[in-house]
Amino acid sequence: MKKYYNLIDLLRFVAATLVLVHHVASKAWHHPDSFPGLITHLPEPVPFFSNFGQPGWVGVEIFFVISGIVIANSAFDRTATQFVIGRASRLYPSVWVCAPLALFLLVLTGALESGWQAGFLKSMVLLPKGPWIDPVFWTLGVETIFYVVITMWTLQKRVSIEVVAVFLTAWSGVWVFLTLSGVEFSSSIERISLLRFAAFFALGILMWLWSEKRATRLTWMAGPFALCLCIAELILKTEVYKSINYDSVAPIAIWIASFFVMIYSLANAAAIRSGWMTNLGRLTYPLYLCHTTVAGAVTYGLIILGFSVLYAFLIGSATAIALAWAIAKFWEPVVASAIKRSLGRATAMLARAERAA
C-alpha cells in the first residue's frame, strides 16, 4: 500500500525554497548575465540572502533522493501502464501552466532570447535535452530518464527494484571513477545518461527498501556505497578539497542533514501525520517550476516601483509560493484527472484492438 511521508513533504518544500533563494537572491546578484540575473535586474545584493543563499543549489540533489523514495513507493505494486499514467498526470499539469507563464514573464522583463520557440516546445513536452524556456527544467529531463528506467522495470519485475538500484549505484560509480581520472563529460551527457545523478535515485530506492523491511544483504552493501557516491558528487561540485569555506561546506552539510531527516521520516512514517506538511509538499513542484520567473519578475517590478531590494525579494518569493499553492489546489487536480481519463481510454482502446486482432 502506498505510504505518505509528511516530513519528507516538508523537506521537499524546504529544498525548493533553498533553490529559490539561490537563484533569485544569490545567483541573480553574483551572476547578472545568468537567467535569474536577466529577469531580476538586481541593482544591489539582497541583504543576507545574496551572501548566504549560494548553497541553495543543493536542493536539487535533495530532490533526486526524495524522487527515488517516492517512485519506489509508488511503482512497486503498479503495472507499467499505471505508472506511466500516474507520472504523466503528475508532471504535465504544472508544466502546462508554468511554461506559458514563464514565456509571458520573460517578455515582460525583457529577458526573452531569440530562438525561444524550441525551448518553449521542449518544456511543454518535457524533452530531456534542452534548451528550455527556463533552465530549471533540466532537472525534469533527468527525472524523465529515471522514470524511463523504472518503466522498463515495471514491464517485467523479474529483476527486483533492488537490483535496479544497485545498477544505478554502479553507473554513478563509473562517473566518479572517470571524473577522478581526469575524464570530462558535457553536462548534457551527464544528465541524459544519468551518469552523474544515478546514485541519488538509487539511494532513495535503497532507503525505501530498508524502511519497508525488504532490504537484503545487497541493499546493506550498496546503500553505503551509494551514499558515498552522492557525497563524492557534492565534493566534486563544490571543490571543497580546494577551498574550505561557507559556499563549499554548507551544501554538503545541508544535504547530509537532509539525508538524516529522510531516514527519520521513513522510520516514523505512521507516527508523523500532518495536513499542512502534505499541502506544502503538493505545492513544491509548481513552486520549483515557476520560482525563478515569478519571484524574479515580481522582485524586478517592485524595485522599479521603489521597494527596497529586501522587501521586493520577500514579496516576490511569497508571490511565487502563493501562486504554486493555487496551481496545486485548483489547476493540477482538474488537469491531472483529465489526463488520467484520456490515457485510460486510450490504453483501453489499444487493449481492445489487440484482443480483436
Side-chain angles (χ1 to χ4, degrees):
M1 185 177 71
K2 184 178 179 182
K3 290 185 178 179
Y4 293 93
Y5 307 105
N6 287 146
L7 195 56
I8 289 180
D9 281 331
L10 177 59
L11 178 62
R12 184 185 295 168
F13 175 76
V14 171
T17 305
L18 286 172
V19 177
L20 185 157
V21 173
H22 165 70
H23 281 145
V24 182
S26 183
K27 191 172 184 177
W29 170 248
H30 293 291
H31 303 279
D33 293 332
S34 66
F35 183 83
L38 294 173
I39 294 175
T40 311
H41 303 282
L42 290 179
E44 60 186 76
V46 181
F48 180 80
F49 294 100
S50 288
N51 289 332
F52 293 97
Q54 174 61 20
W57 57 261
V58 79
V60 170
E61 275 81 349
I62 296 171
F63 285 141
F64 288 159
V65 181
I66 293 174
S67 183
I69 295 170
V70 171
I71 295 305
N73 184 48
S74 64
F76 192 79
D77 57 356
R78 287 187 177 183
T79 65
T81 300
Q82 290 171 333
F83 177 72
V84 170
I85 292 175
R87 286 296 88 197
S89 62
R90 178 71 183 99
L91 292 180
Y92 283 106
S94 286
V95 165
W96 289 343
V97 68
C98 289
L101 178 61
L103 176 60
F104 170 74
L105 292 175
L106 288 173
V107 172
L108 202 63
T109 57
L112 188 66
E113 297 182 350
S114 59
W116 59 267
Q117 295 88 343
F120 178 73
L121 291 175
K122 288 180 178 182
S123 301
M124 290 292 284
V125 299
L126 290 182
L127 286 185
K129 191 175 187 304
W132 303 273
I133 193 67
D134 184 334
V136 300
F137 278 73
W138 77 264
T139 62
L140 300 186
V142 175
E143 292 272 359
T144 300
I145 299 298
F146 174 56
Y147 298 158
V148 170
V149 172
I150 298 301
T151 301
M152 293 171 64
W153 172 73
T154 60
L155 286 170
Q156 48 81 39
K157 290 191 177 180
R158 291 187 298 274
V159 175
S160 70
I161 197 169
E162 183 181 48
V163 172
V164 174
V166 171
F167 169 78
L168 291 171
T169 301
W171 191 234
S172 270
V174 171
W175 177 81
V176 171
F177 174 78
L178 292 176
T179 301
L180 291 175
S181 299
V183 179
E184 295 184 1
F185 298 92
S186 68
S187 59
S188 294
I189 294 297
E190 289 179 336
R191 294 168 182 176
I192 293 176
S193 67
L194 288 187
L195 261 175
R196 182 166 192 145
F197 302 106
F200 293 93
F201 297 111
L203 181 62
I205 294 172
L206 295 168
M207 290 165 65
W208 179 82
L209 287 169
W210 164 79
S211 72
E212 292 292 302
K213 296 180 171 55
R214 298 177 183 273
T216 69
R217 186 178 300 175
L218 195 58
T219 294
W220 289 106
M221 290 189 297
F225 186 45
L227 176 61
C228 290
L229 290 173
C230 291
I231 295 174
E233 192 275 339
L234 295 171
I235 289 173
L236 289 169
K237 190 169 184 176
T238 60
E239 297 186 335
V240 67
Y241 51 88
K242 292 183 178 179
S243 176
I244 298 178
N245 53 49
Y246 171 77
D247 287 347
S248 62
V249 174
I252 300 173
I254 292 170
W255 188 89
I256 292 175
S258 299
F259 167 76
F260 284 109
V261 170
M262 287 182 252
I263 289 289
Y264 182 81
S265 178
L266 289 167
N268 298 275
I272 304 173
R273 297 294 179 89
S274 172
W276 67 269
M277 288 186 186
T278 301
N279 290 331
L280 286 178
R282 287 174 180 164
L283 67 82
T284 296
Y285 177 53
L287 174 60
Y288 178 77
L289 291 180
C290 74
H291 73 270
T292 305
T293 49
V294 173
V298 172
T299 299
Y300 174 47
L302 291 176
I303 290 173
I304 291 176
L305 292 175
F307 282 73
S308 71
V309 170
L310 176 60
Y311 282 116
F313 167 72
L314 292 176
I315 296 172
S317 300
T319 303
I321 293 171
L323 177 62
W325 173 83
I327 292 171
K329 178 73 173 178
F330 302 108
W331 171 265
E332 279 189 341
V334 175
V335 181
S337 179
I339 291 174
K340 287 179 180 178
R341 287 197 304 270
S342 299
L343 292 179
R345 290 169 185 164
T347 53
M349 289 175 60
L350 288 173
R352 287 195 297 269
E354 288 181 0
R355 286 195 297 269

